[in-house]
Amino acid sequence: MKRCRSLSWPRKSIVIAALALGSQACSPATQPVTTRFALDPLPSLAPTASPATLRFYVSDLHMVNAHGQATPVRLTAAPPYQDERTALVSLPGDDESGNTVVHGTVPRGDYVHLEFLLGIPFARNHGNPLQAAPPLDRPAMFWAWQSGHKFLRLDLGNAWSFHLGSTGCHSTSAVRPPQDECRRPNLARIRLPAAVATDGQIEVDLGALIAAVNPTTDENCMGSYADADTCRRVLDALGLDAGTGRCLADCRGQRVFRAARR
């Protein structure tokens, strides 16, 4: 971190110097991070399965350089869709406006990848929902105090739904937060080319996510993911092991999020 030097100036010059230098004298230069999300066209499904609504949380954004060093992205506080650590993406929009863009800043540098966590880290996931501030205050994105938030919610009309969140969370009751990390966190870490954070776009491929799903016959996937082959394959598309709730090979095999084709 850049340090401020002690300078010896005449007293009358201090105010003028402070105005001239501003905060740049002590702060590293930053560059904007603007991550845009868009739905890849949904494959043909039964009429009862449309329209589709998709919402998901994005946290713990980092830019990664060629040496593998990760630099945190500080999100811009912009209620109701994001605070400085987490953003809620809504595609194509579960309300009038929806939200497709995540904004932040990062120290200036040469980066090759953008990484983000699909979901909410344990330390933030199990707070009191009645006291939560945006974007963690959405009732539709919350299960229970014990199990926390839905990291991703996909509803194909009234036909079929996939709600992703942590499972195997233990506490004295459903209205008490767990003290220890849930047995199956179900947090996917997504890595993409750095260009998606500047002049690019991230496509969300619903076709890849639900390739194994028949929305007219399959049961919903809302927690017991390892109990049904369809749900296991949905988690596999995100790079997650349904049995452990953890990434397979750092989730590098995920097939849902990709840099938009040019």
Side-chain angles (χ1 to χ4, degrees):
M1 180 179 293
K2 187 174 181 179
R3 297 180 179 275
C4 300
R5 295 183 301 171
S6 297
L7 301 176
S8 297
W9 289 328
R11 186 184 299 272
K12 65 181 180 181
S13 301
I14 292 178
V15 174
I16 297 175
L19 290 173
L21 290 173
S23 60
Q24 294 182 356
C26 304
S27 302
T30 61
Q31 62 191 56
V33 171
T34 303
T35 304
R36 303 179 185 277
F37 291 86
L39 277 178
D40 196 51
L42 190 66
S44 177
L45 296 170
T48 55
S50 60
T53 58
L54 176 65
R55 289 149 283 183
F56 55 88
Y57 283 109
V58 171
S59 301
D60 196 28
L61 280 79
H62 284 76
M63 299 300 296
V64 183
N65 65 19
H67 303 290
Q69 298 169 322
T71 301
V73 175
R74 181 173 182 175
L75 298 185
T76 304
Y81 288 107
Q82 68 179 59
D83 60 17
E84 292 180 350
R85 292 180 287 177
T86 298
L88 175 63
V89 177
S90 173
L91 299 169
D94 61 303
D95 50 31
E96 292 183 359
S97 59
N99 184 55
T100 62
V101 184
V102 176
H103 296 282
T105 58
V106 69
R108 192 169 301 280
D110 295 322
Y111 302 110
V112 296
H113 292 110
L114 166 74
E115 286 189 350
F116 63 87
L117 202 63
L118 180 65
I120 302 169
F122 176 77
R124 301 198 79 196
N125 190 31
H126 302 274
N128 185 340
L130 300 179
Q131 299 176 356
L136 305 184
D137 60 343
R138 300 295 182 94
M141 295 297 290
F142 199 80
W143 263 332
W145 202 344
Q146 183 184 65
S147 49
H149 292 79
K150 300 173 187 179
F151 302 152
L152 179 149
R153 176 171 180 162
L154 170 65
D155 298 304
L156 301 181
N158 295 320
W160 185 84
S161 294
F162 169 51
H163 298 176
L164 177 68
S166 294
T167 59
C169 309
H170 296 288
S171 63
T172 55
S173 74
V175 295
R176 293 288 184 270
Q179 298 299 310
D180 300 312
E181 184 182 86
C182 299
R183 184 177 302 173
R184 292 174 292 278
N186 293 320
L187 289 163
R189 179 160 291 281
I190 310 299
R191 170 177 280 202
L192 296 168
V196 300
T198 52
D199 60 351
Q201 182 171 268
I202 298 175
E203 288 182 348
V204 184
D205 189 344
L206 286 190
L209 182 64
I210 62 173
V213 175
N214 184 336
T216 60
T217 59
D218 290 335
E219 294 186 1
N220 296 328
C221 296
M222 294 187 178
S224 300
Y225 310 116
D227 293 345
D229 181 65
T230 296
C231 300
R232 287 195 297 271
R233 293 172 69 178
V234 171
L235 261 68
D236 181 73
L238 291 169
L240 292 168
D241 184 316
T244 65
R246 299 182 185 277
C247 279
L248 292 166
D250 295 328
C251 288
R252 301 294 171 84
Q254 68 86 20
R255 305 182 294 280
V256 178
F257 296 89
R258 64 169 179 246
R261 302 183 183 94
R262 293 179 178 272

